[in-house]
Amino acid sequence: MPLISSEEIKNIASSVGFDACGISQIDSLEQDFSFFRQWLSQNAHAGMHYMENYQDKRYNPKLLMPEAKSMISVLLSYHTEIPVENANVKVSKHALGKDYHHLVKEKLYAFIHILKEKYPQFEGIPYCDTAPVMDRAWAAKAGLGWIGKNTCLINEKHGSFCVIGEILCNAESSYDKAVENRCGDCTLCLQKCPNQALEKPFFLNANKCTAYHTIENKSETLPENINLKNYILGCDECQLTCPWNAKACFGNSETYFSPSEDLKQILSENSASFVEKSTFKKITKGTAFSRLRYEQFLRNLQKANTK
């Protein structure tokens, strides 16, 4: 497998629509994995028991691809300015448009296709938030940002409103260097968290997290002490208050993450309560909003509107 220049890889990433790209060599993520295991041991992952699975693969990506030499990490910004007028409830920015899992995977496959056409020996496996890969840690190792006190990856140019994808591959390249953490003394994200789920810098307790309860918690009812801040899917509060997002560039994918007129109508005042199941499924199909079952939607809506 020939050496592929970093410049060529990053130009291809840009050509298929990614906002940033970095490359790291496959080796141990000892410190990140140690922190992850401690986080699990404290039950901070709440009901996300799937995170306990395949820990060996999280630690060692060569178990996913024995011939792997590099991890190509990419960012796609979902930072947009498009408001939802008359909204009675709130939804995390990432869930307003096309499902980012499918969107990023499409671009990653296009990325791989271009590389394979030029380098027939190239082999790569694309990932986006659906496999035992430590996305943020690899992106940070590839110089795409630092993991902030709110546990999000923060990119100096694009802030934290970005989804992460990666290609585990057999190519070698010149590698990027990690950047220093630039959160400084700021603790605005910890102060803004609706339920103090950010118990300390860099530590999120999902048992208290609005995003966890509105998406991952499948129970019929939500804990009484959880404040949804009017969110019915996700929560952006710690990101909205981050100074790095205040000056972040808007991404090139505004059309992908813009809500449809029908979805805007669902979220508008006095409309959400009257949405039928068939309408809900039709309107949310193909969006990250579809992660929410209709029953969860009604449950979250009731909780959000409880003053």
PDB file of all heavy atoms in Angstrom, residues 169-202:
ATOM      1  N   CYS A 169      -8.329   2.594   7.983  1.00  0.00           N
ATOM      2  CA  CYS A 169      -7.799   2.175   6.688  1.00  0.00           C
ATOM      3  C   CYS A 169      -6.389   1.599   6.760  1.00  0.00           C
ATOM      4  O   CYS A 169      -5.683   1.744   7.763  1.00  0.00           O
ATOM      5  CB  CYS A 169      -7.839   3.343   5.702  1.00  0.00           C
ATOM      6  SG  CYS A 169      -6.708   4.694   6.113  1.00  0.00           S
ATOM      7  N   ASN A 170      -5.988   0.968   5.647  1.00  0.00           N
ATOM      8  CA  ASN A 170      -4.675   0.328   5.573  1.00  0.00           C
ATOM      9  C   ASN A 170      -3.604   1.245   4.985  1.00  0.00           C
ATOM     10  O   ASN A 170      -2.470   0.823   4.774  1.00  0.00           O
ATOM     11  CB  ASN A 170      -4.761  -0.966   4.755  1.00  0.00           C
ATOM     12  CG  ASN A 170      -5.134  -0.708   3.289  1.00  0.00           C
ATOM     13  OD1 ASN A 170      -5.579   0.385   2.932  1.00  0.00           O
ATOM     14  ND2 ASN A 170      -4.967  -1.726   2.448  1.00  0.00           N
ATOM     15  N   ALA A 171      -3.958   2.496   4.686  1.00  0.00           N
ATOM     16  CA  ALA A 171      -2.995   3.440   4.115  1.00  0.00           C
ATOM     17  C   ALA A 171      -2.153   4.083   5.212  1.00  0.00           C
ATOM     18  O   ALA A 171      -2.592   4.198   6.360  1.00  0.00           O
ATOM     19  CB  ALA A 171      -3.731   4.515   3.335  1.00  0.00           C
ATOM     20  N   GLU A 172      -0.972   4.505   4.827  1.00  0.00           N
ATOM     21  CA  GLU A 172      -0.136   5.300   5.713  1.00  0.00           C
ATOM     22  C   GLU A 172      -0.027   6.705   5.149  1.00  0.00           C
ATOM     23  O   GLU A 172      -0.191   6.930   3.954  1.00  0.00           O
ATOM     24  CB  GLU A 172       1.247   4.669   5.852  1.00  0.00           C
ATOM     25  CG  GLU A 172       1.230   3.340   6.585  1.00  0.00           C
ATOM     26  CD  GLU A 172       2.625   2.775   6.792  1.00  0.00           C
ATOM     27  OE1 GLU A 172       3.151   2.151   5.864  1.00  0.00           O
ATOM     28  OE2 GLU A 172       3.179   2.981   7.901  1.00  0.00           O
ATOM     29  N   SER A 173       0.236   7.651   6.026  1.00  0.00           N
ATOM     30  CA  SER A 173       0.309   9.046   5.605  1.00  0.00           C
ATOM     31  C   SER A 173       1.183   9.792   6.602  1.00  0.00           C
ATOM     32  O   SER A 173       1.717   9.195   7.557  1.00  0.00           O
ATOM     33  CB  SER A 173      -1.093   9.662   5.549  1.00  0.00           C
ATOM     34  OG  SER A 173      -1.059  10.981   5.061  1.00  0.00           O
ATOM     35  N   SER A 174       1.324  11.091   6.404  1.00  0.00           N
ATOM     36  CA  SER A 174       1.922  11.912   7.456  1.00  0.00           C
ATOM     37  C   SER A 174       0.792  12.238   8.421  1.00  0.00           C
ATOM     38  O   SER A 174      -0.357  12.426   8.001  1.00  0.00           O
ATOM     39  CB  SER A 174       2.530  13.183   6.865  1.00  0.00           C
ATOM     40  OG  SER A 174       1.585  13.888   6.089  1.00  0.00           O
ATOM     41  N   TYR A 175       1.102  12.304   9.704  1.00  0.00           N
ATOM     42  CA  TYR A 175       0.047  12.384  10.708  1.00  0.00           C
ATOM     43  C   TYR A 175      -0.026  13.757  11.381  1.00  0.00           C
ATOM     44  O   TYR A 175       0.980  14.450  11.529  1.00  0.00           O
ATOM     45  CB  TYR A 175       0.233  11.278  11.745  1.00  0.00           C
ATOM     46  CG  TYR A 175       0.145   9.900  11.130  1.00  0.00           C
ATOM     47  CD1 TYR A 175       1.265   9.074  11.045  1.00  0.00           C
ATOM     48  CD2 TYR A 175      -1.052   9.450  10.595  1.00  0.00           C
ATOM     49  CE1 TYR A 175       1.186   7.811  10.456  1.00  0.00           C
ATOM     50  CE2 TYR A 175      -1.148   8.183  10.006  1.00  0.00           C
ATOM     51  CZ  TYR A 175      -0.028   7.382   9.930  1.00  0.00           C
ATOM     52  OH  TYR A 175      -0.125   6.147   9.338  1.00  0.00           O
ATOM     53  N   ASP A 176      -1.247  14.110  11.764  1.00  0.00           N
ATOM     54  CA  ASP A 176      -1.479  15.392  12.421  1.00  0.00           C
ATOM     55  C   ASP A 176      -1.190  15.275  13.910  1.00  0.00           C
ATOM     56  O   ASP A 176      -1.239  14.183  14.493  1.00  0.00           O
ATOM     57  CB  ASP A 176      -2.920  15.841  12.193  1.00  0.00           C
ATOM     58  CG  ASP A 176      -3.197  16.133  10.729  1.00  0.00           C
ATOM     59  OD1 ASP A 176      -2.712  17.155  10.238  1.00  0.00           O
ATOM     60  OD2 ASP A 176      -3.904  15.330  10.079  1.00  0.00           O
ATOM     61  N   LYS A 177      -0.948  16.409  14.518  1.00  0.00           N
ATOM     62  CA  LYS A 177      -0.667  16.444  15.953  1.00  0.00           C
ATOM     63  C   LYS A 177      -1.892  16.938  16.718  1.00  0.00           C
ATOM     64  O   LYS A 177      -2.637  17.796  16.233  1.00  0.00           O
ATOM     65  CB  LYS A 177       0.517  17.362  16.238  1.00  0.00           C
ATOM     66  CG  LYS A 177       1.840  16.862  15.660  1.00  0.00           C
ATOM     67  CD  LYS A 177       2.969  17.816  16.001  1.00  0.00           C
ATOM     68  CE  LYS A 177       4.296  17.320  15.430  1.00  0.00           C
ATOM     69  NZ  LYS A 177       5.405  18.262  15.733  1.00  0.00           N
ATOM     70  N   ALA A 178      -2.084  16.406  17.891  1.00  0.00           N
ATOM     71  CA  ALA A 178      -3.174  16.866  18.756  1.00  0.00           C
ATOM     72  C   ALA A 178      -2.942  18.330  19.136  1.00  0.00           C
ATOM     73  O   ALA A 178      -1.802  18.795  19.196  1.00  0.00           O
ATOM     74  CB  ALA A 178      -3.245  16.008  20.009  1.00  0.00           C
ATOM     75  N   VAL A 179      -4.031  19.068  19.371  1.00  0.00           N
ATOM     76  CA  VAL A 179      -3.925  20.470  19.770  1.00  0.00           C
ATOM     77  C   VAL A 179      -4.193  20.591  21.268  1.00  0.00           C
ATOM     78  O   VAL A 179      -4.828  19.726  21.872  1.00  0.00           O
ATOM     79  CB  VAL A 179      -4.916  21.360  18.981  1.00  0.00           C
ATOM     80  CG1 VAL A 179      -4.613  21.307  17.498  1.00  0.00           C
ATOM     81  CG2 VAL A 179      -6.362  20.930  19.239  1.00  0.00           C
ATOM     82  N   GLU A 180      -3.718  21.654  21.860  1.00  0.00           N
ATOM     83  CA  GLU A 180      -3.898  21.836  23.296  1.00  0.00           C
ATOM     84  C   GLU A 180      -5.350  22.185  23.624  1.00  0.00           C
ATOM     85  O   GLU A 180      -6.071  22.766  22.808  1.00  0.00           O
ATOM     86  CB  GLU A 180      -2.978  22.942  23.815  1.00  0.00           C
ATOM     87  CG  GLU A 180      -3.292  24.326  23.274  1.00  0.00           C
ATOM     88  CD  GLU A 180      -2.404  25.400  23.881  1.00  0.00           C
ATOM     89  OE1 GLU A 180      -1.695  25.105  24.865  1.00  0.00           O
ATOM     90  OE2 GLU A 180      -2.436  26.529  23.379  1.00  0.00           O
ATOM     91  N   ASN A 181      -5.772  21.815  24.818  1.00  0.00           N
ATOM     92  CA  ASN A 181      -7.102  22.167  25.295  1.00  0.00           C
ATOM     93  C   ASN A 181      -7.168  23.678  25.517  1.00  0.00           C
ATOM     94  O   ASN A 181      -6.304  24.250  26.183  1.00  0.00           O
ATOM     95  CB  ASN A 181      -7.411  21.425  26.599  1.00  0.00           C
ATOM     96  CG  ASN A 181      -8.854  21.583  27.026  1.00  0.00           C
ATOM     97  OD1 ASN A 181      -9.326  22.690  27.291  1.00  0.00           O
ATOM     98  ND2 ASN A 181      -9.561  20.477  27.079  1.00  0.00           N
ATOM     99  N   ARG A 182      -8.196  24.312  24.960  1.00  0.00           N
ATOM    100  CA  ARG A 182      -8.275  25.771  25.032  1.00  0.00           C
ATOM    101  C   ARG A 182      -9.537  26.240  25.768  1.00  0.00           C
ATOM    102  O   ARG A 182     -10.026  27.335  25.537  1.00  0.00           O
ATOM    103  CB  ARG A 182      -8.219  26.361  23.619  1.00  0.00           C
ATOM    104  CG  ARG A 182      -6.900  26.015  22.892  1.00  0.00           C
ATOM    105  CD  ARG A 182      -6.769  26.712  21.563  1.00  0.00           C
ATOM    106  NE  ARG A 182      -6.706  28.159  21.727  1.00  0.00           N
ATOM    107  CZ  ARG A 182      -6.699  29.010  20.696  1.00  0.00           C
ATOM    108  NH1 ARG A 182      -6.758  28.547  19.458  1.00  0.00           N
ATOM    109  NH2 ARG A 182      -6.652  30.310  20.909  1.00  0.00           N
ATOM    110  N   CYS A 183     -10.048  25.417  26.662  1.00  0.00           N
ATOM    111  CA  CYS A 183     -11.196  25.832  27.481  1.00  0.00           C
ATOM    112  C   CYS A 183     -10.782  26.855  28.544  1.00  0.00           C
ATOM    113  O   CYS A 183     -11.612  27.648  29.003  1.00  0.00           O
ATOM    114  CB  CYS A 183     -11.833  24.622  28.160  1.00  0.00           C
ATOM    115  SG  CYS A 183     -12.780  23.562  27.048  1.00  0.00           S
ATOM    116  N   GLY A 184      -9.526  26.798  28.951  1.00  0.00           N
ATOM    117  CA  GLY A 184      -9.052  27.738  29.959  1.00  0.00           C
ATOM    118  C   GLY A 184      -9.810  27.610  31.270  1.00  0.00           C
ATOM    119  O   GLY A 184     -10.133  26.502  31.720  1.00  0.00           O
ATOM    120  N   ASP A 185     -10.118  28.747  31.884  1.00  0.00           N
ATOM    121  CA  ASP A 185     -10.829  28.761  33.169  1.00  0.00           C
ATOM    122  C   ASP A 185     -12.346  28.769  32.999  1.00  0.00           C
ATOM    123  O   ASP A 185     -13.085  28.801  33.986  1.00  0.00           O
ATOM    124  CB  ASP A 185     -10.416  30.000  33.977  1.00  0.00           C
ATOM    125  CG  ASP A 185      -8.940  29.965  34.371  1.00  0.00           C
ATOM    126  OD1 ASP A 185      -8.416  28.848  34.557  1.00  0.00           O
ATOM    127  OD2 ASP A 185      -8.329  31.045  34.475  1.00  0.00           O
ATOM    128  N   CYS A 186     -12.817  28.774  31.766  1.00  0.00           N
ATOM    129  CA  CYS A 186     -14.264  28.880  31.501  1.00  0.00           C
ATOM    130  C   CYS A 186     -15.022  27.660  32.025  1.00  0.00           C
ATOM    131  O   CYS A 186     -14.622  26.522  31.827  1.00  0.00           O
ATOM    132  CB  CYS A 186     -14.494  29.018  29.999  1.00  0.00           C
ATOM    133  SG  CYS A 186     -16.239  29.166  29.535  1.00  0.00           S
ATOM    134  N   THR A 187     -16.140  27.919  32.710  1.00  0.00           N
ATOM    135  CA  THR A 187     -17.018  26.839  33.182  1.00  0.00           C
ATOM    136  C   THR A 187     -18.477  27.136  32.843  1.00  0.00           C
ATOM    137  O   THR A 187     -19.394  26.663  33.517  1.00  0.00           O
ATOM    138  CB  THR A 187     -16.874  26.631  34.706  1.00  0.00           C
ATOM    139  OG1 THR A 187     -17.168  27.880  35.375  1.00  0.00           O
ATOM    140  CG2 THR A 187     -15.482  26.167  35.076  1.00  0.00           C
ATOM    141  N   LEU A 188     -18.702  27.930  31.808  1.00  0.00           N
ATOM    142  CA  LEU A 188     -20.066  28.314  31.440  1.00  0.00           C
ATOM    143  C   LEU A 188     -20.936  27.100  31.135  1.00  0.00           C
ATOM    144  O   LEU A 188     -22.123  27.073  31.459  1.00  0.00           O
ATOM    145  CB  LEU A 188     -20.045  29.253  30.234  1.00  0.00           C
ATOM    146  CG  LEU A 188     -19.538  30.679  30.487  1.00  0.00           C
ATOM    147  CD1 LEU A 188     -19.426  31.441  29.167  1.00  0.00           C
ATOM    148  CD2 LEU A 188     -20.481  31.413  31.439  1.00  0.00           C
ATOM    149  N   CYS A 189     -20.350  26.088  30.499  1.00  0.00           N
ATOM    150  CA  CYS A 189     -21.139  24.902  30.152  1.00  0.00           C
ATOM    151  C   CYS A 189     -21.636  24.186  31.404  1.00  0.00           C
ATOM    152  O   CYS A 189     -22.780  23.716  31.459  1.00  0.00           O
ATOM    153  CB  CYS A 189     -20.334  23.964  29.263  1.00  0.00           C
ATOM    154  SG  CYS A 189     -18.753  23.431  29.934  1.00  0.00           S
ATOM    155  N   LEU A 190     -20.791  24.104  32.424  1.00  0.00           N
ATOM    156  CA  LEU A 190     -21.199  23.450  33.667  1.00  0.00           C
ATOM    157  C   LEU A 190     -22.323  24.227  34.345  1.00  0.00           C
ATOM    158  O   LEU A 190     -23.273  23.643  34.882  1.00  0.00           O
ATOM    159  CB  LEU A 190     -20.016  23.319  34.626  1.00  0.00           C
ATOM    160  CG  LEU A 190     -19.057  22.144  34.404  1.00  0.00           C
ATOM    161  CD1 LEU A 190     -18.188  22.344  33.168  1.00  0.00           C
ATOM    162  CD2 LEU A 190     -18.183  21.921  35.633  1.00  0.00           C
ATOM    163  N   GLN A 191     -22.222  25.545  34.291  1.00  0.00           N
ATOM    164  CA  GLN A 191     -23.227  26.397  34.932  1.00  0.00           C
ATOM    165  C   GLN A 191     -24.570  26.326  34.204  1.00  0.00           C
ATOM    166  O   GLN A 191     -25.627  26.440  34.823  1.00  0.00           O
ATOM    167  CB  GLN A 191     -22.738  27.835  34.959  1.00  0.00           C
ATOM    168  CG  GLN A 191     -21.463  28.055  35.769  1.00  0.00           C
ATOM    169  CD  GLN A 191     -20.888  29.433  35.559  1.00  0.00           C
ATOM    170  OE1 GLN A 191     -21.608  30.420  35.451  1.00  0.00           O
ATOM    171  NE2 GLN A 191     -19.560  29.525  35.481  1.00  0.00           N
ATOM    172  N   LYS A 192     -24.526  26.136  32.882  1.00  0.00           N
ATOM    173  CA  LYS A 192     -25.744  26.181  32.067  1.00  0.00           C
ATOM    174  C   LYS A 192     -26.496  24.857  32.025  1.00  0.00           C
ATOM    175  O   LYS A 192     -27.681  24.818  31.724  1.00  0.00           O
ATOM    176  CB  LYS A 192     -25.358  26.598  30.639  1.00  0.00           C
ATOM    177  CG  LYS A 192     -26.518  26.935  29.726  1.00  0.00           C
ATOM    178  CD  LYS A 192     -27.182  28.238  30.106  1.00  0.00           C
ATOM    179  CE  LYS A 192     -28.209  28.653  29.041  1.00  0.00           C
ATOM    180  NZ  LYS A 192     -28.891  29.903  29.390  1.00  0.00           N
ATOM    181  N   CYS A 193     -25.837  23.765  32.351  1.00  0.00           N
ATOM    182  CA  CYS A 193     -26.463  22.440  32.257  1.00  0.00           C
ATOM    183  C   CYS A 193     -27.744  22.394  33.099  1.00  0.00           C
ATOM    184  O   CYS A 193     -27.708  22.657  34.306  1.00  0.00           O
ATOM    185  CB  CYS A 193     -25.482  21.380  32.740  1.00  0.00           C
ATOM    186  SG  CYS A 193     -26.106  19.688  32.573  1.00  0.00           S
ATOM    187  N   PRO A 194     -28.889  22.069  32.495  1.00  0.00           N
ATOM    188  CA  PRO A 194     -30.184  22.153  33.191  1.00  0.00           C
ATOM    189  C   PRO A 194     -30.293  21.328  34.465  1.00  0.00           C
ATOM    190  O   PRO A 194     -30.992  21.709  35.399  1.00  0.00           O
ATOM    191  CB  PRO A 194     -31.179  21.644  32.137  1.00  0.00           C
ATOM    192  CG  PRO A 194     -30.514  21.890  30.837  1.00  0.00           C
ATOM    193  CD  PRO A 194     -29.052  21.679  31.089  1.00  0.00           C
ATOM    194  N   ASN A 195     -29.606  20.191  34.505  1.00  0.00           N
ATOM    195  CA  ASN A 195     -29.725  19.294  35.663  1.00  0.00           C
ATOM    196  C   ASN A 195     -28.388  18.997  36.333  1.00  0.00           C
ATOM    197  O   ASN A 195     -28.262  18.016  37.053  1.00  0.00           O
ATOM    198  CB  ASN A 195     -30.383  17.978  35.217  1.00  0.00           C
ATOM    199  CG  ASN A 195     -31.713  18.204  34.543  1.00  0.00           C
ATOM    200  OD1 ASN A 195     -32.673  18.635  35.174  1.00  0.00           O
ATOM    201  ND2 ASN A 195     -31.768  17.940  33.241  1.00  0.00           N
ATOM    202  N   GLN A 196     -27.397  19.854  36.054  1.00  0.00           N
ATOM    203  CA  GLN A 196     -26.040  19.659  36.600  1.00  0.00           C
ATOM    204  C   GLN A 196     -25.491  18.275  36.252  1.00  0.00           C
ATOM    205  O   GLN A 196     -24.813  17.630  37.065  1.00  0.00           O
ATOM    206  CB  GLN A 196     -26.020  19.871  38.122  1.00  0.00           C
ATOM    207  CG  GLN A 196     -26.253  21.312  38.542  1.00  0.00           C
ATOM    208  CD  GLN A 196     -27.707  21.739  38.417  1.00  0.00           C
ATOM    209  OE1 GLN A 196     -28.589  21.107  38.973  1.00  0.00           O
ATOM    210  NE2 GLN A 196     -27.953  22.809  37.679  1.00  0.00           N
ATOM    211  N   ALA A 197     -25.791  17.817  35.034  1.00  0.00           N
ATOM    212  CA  ALA A 197     -25.259  16.534  34.566  1.00  0.00           C
ATOM    213  C   ALA A 197     -23.749  16.601  34.374  1.00  0.00           C
ATOM    214  O   ALA A 197     -23.056  15.586  34.498  1.00  0.00           O
ATOM    215  CB  ALA A 197     -25.936  16.124  33.255  1.00  0.00           C
ATOM    216  N   LEU A 198     -23.246  17.803  34.076  1.00  0.00           N
ATOM    217  CA  LEU A 198     -21.796  18.009  34.022  1.00  0.00           C
ATOM    218  C   LEU A 198     -21.329  18.225  35.462  1.00  0.00           C
ATOM    219  O   LEU A 198     -21.229  19.335  35.953  1.00  0.00           O
ATOM    220  CB  LEU A 198     -21.453  19.205  33.132  1.00  0.00           C
ATOM    221  CG  LEU A 198     -21.726  18.996  31.634  1.00  0.00           C
ATOM    222  CD1 LEU A 198     -21.703  20.320  30.891  1.00  0.00           C
ATOM    223  CD2 LEU A 198     -20.716  18.016  31.041  1.00  0.00           C
ATOM    224  N   GLU A 199     -21.072  17.116  36.138  1.00  0.00           N
ATOM    225  CA  GLU A 199     -20.790  17.169  37.572  1.00  0.00           C
ATOM    226  C   GLU A 199     -19.440  17.809  37.879  1.00  0.00           C
ATOM    227  O   GLU A 199     -19.243  18.354  38.964  1.00  0.00           O
ATOM    228  CB  GLU A 199     -20.847  15.754  38.151  1.00  0.00           C
ATOM    229  CG  GLU A 199     -22.247  15.149  38.086  1.00  0.00           C
ATOM    230  CD  GLU A 199     -22.332  13.793  38.717  1.00  0.00           C
ATOM    231  OE1 GLU A 199     -21.292  13.095  38.836  1.00  0.00           O
ATOM    232  OE2 GLU A 199     -23.444  13.387  39.109  1.00  0.00           O
ATOM    233  N   LYS A 200     -18.549  17.724  36.916  1.00  0.00           N
ATOM    234  CA  LYS A 200     -17.242  18.378  37.021  1.00  0.00           C
ATOM    235  C   LYS A 200     -16.706  18.490  35.601  1.00  0.00           C
ATOM    236  O   LYS A 200     -17.244  17.869  34.675  1.00  0.00           O
ATOM    237  CB  LYS A 200     -16.291  17.576  37.914  1.00  0.00           C
ATOM    238  CG  LYS A 200     -16.084  16.131  37.479  1.00  0.00           C
ATOM    239  CD  LYS A 200     -15.238  15.372  38.485  1.00  0.00           C
ATOM    240  CE  LYS A 200     -15.094  13.909  38.084  1.00  0.00           C
ATOM    241  NZ  LYS A 200     -14.295  13.138  39.069  1.00  0.00           N
ATOM    242  N   PRO A 201     -15.675  19.295  35.386  1.00  0.00           N
ATOM    243  CA  PRO A 201     -15.144  19.423  34.029  1.00  0.00           C
ATOM    244  C   PRO A 201     -14.798  18.061  33.427  1.00  0.00           C
ATOM    245  O   PRO A 201     -14.199  17.210  34.077  1.00  0.00           O
ATOM    246  CB  PRO A 201     -13.887  20.272  34.223  1.00  0.00           C
ATOM    247  CG  PRO A 201     -14.190  21.108  35.436  1.00  0.00           C
ATOM    248  CD  PRO A 201     -14.979  20.202  36.332  1.00  0.00           C
ATOM    249  N   PHE A 202     -15.259  17.857  32.187  1.00  0.00           N
ATOM    250  CA  PHE A 202     -14.963  16.661  31.394  1.00  0.00           C
ATOM    251  C   PHE A 202     -15.715  15.414  31.863  1.00  0.00           C
ATOM    252  O   PHE A 202     -15.434  14.318  31.394  1.00  0.00           O
ATOM    253  CB  PHE A 202     -13.446  16.365  31.368  1.00  0.00           C
ATOM    254  CG  PHE A 202     -12.590  17.574  31.106  1.00  0.00           C
ATOM    255  CD1 PHE A 202     -11.803  18.109  32.123  1.00  0.00           C
ATOM    256  CD2 PHE A 202     -12.595  18.188  29.865  1.00  0.00           C
ATOM    257  CE1 PHE A 202     -11.019  19.234  31.886  1.00  0.00           C
ATOM    258  CE2 PHE A 202     -11.809  19.310  29.622  1.00  0.00           C
ATOM    259  CZ  PHE A 202     -11.027  19.843  30.633  1.00  0.00           C
TER     260      PHE A 202
END
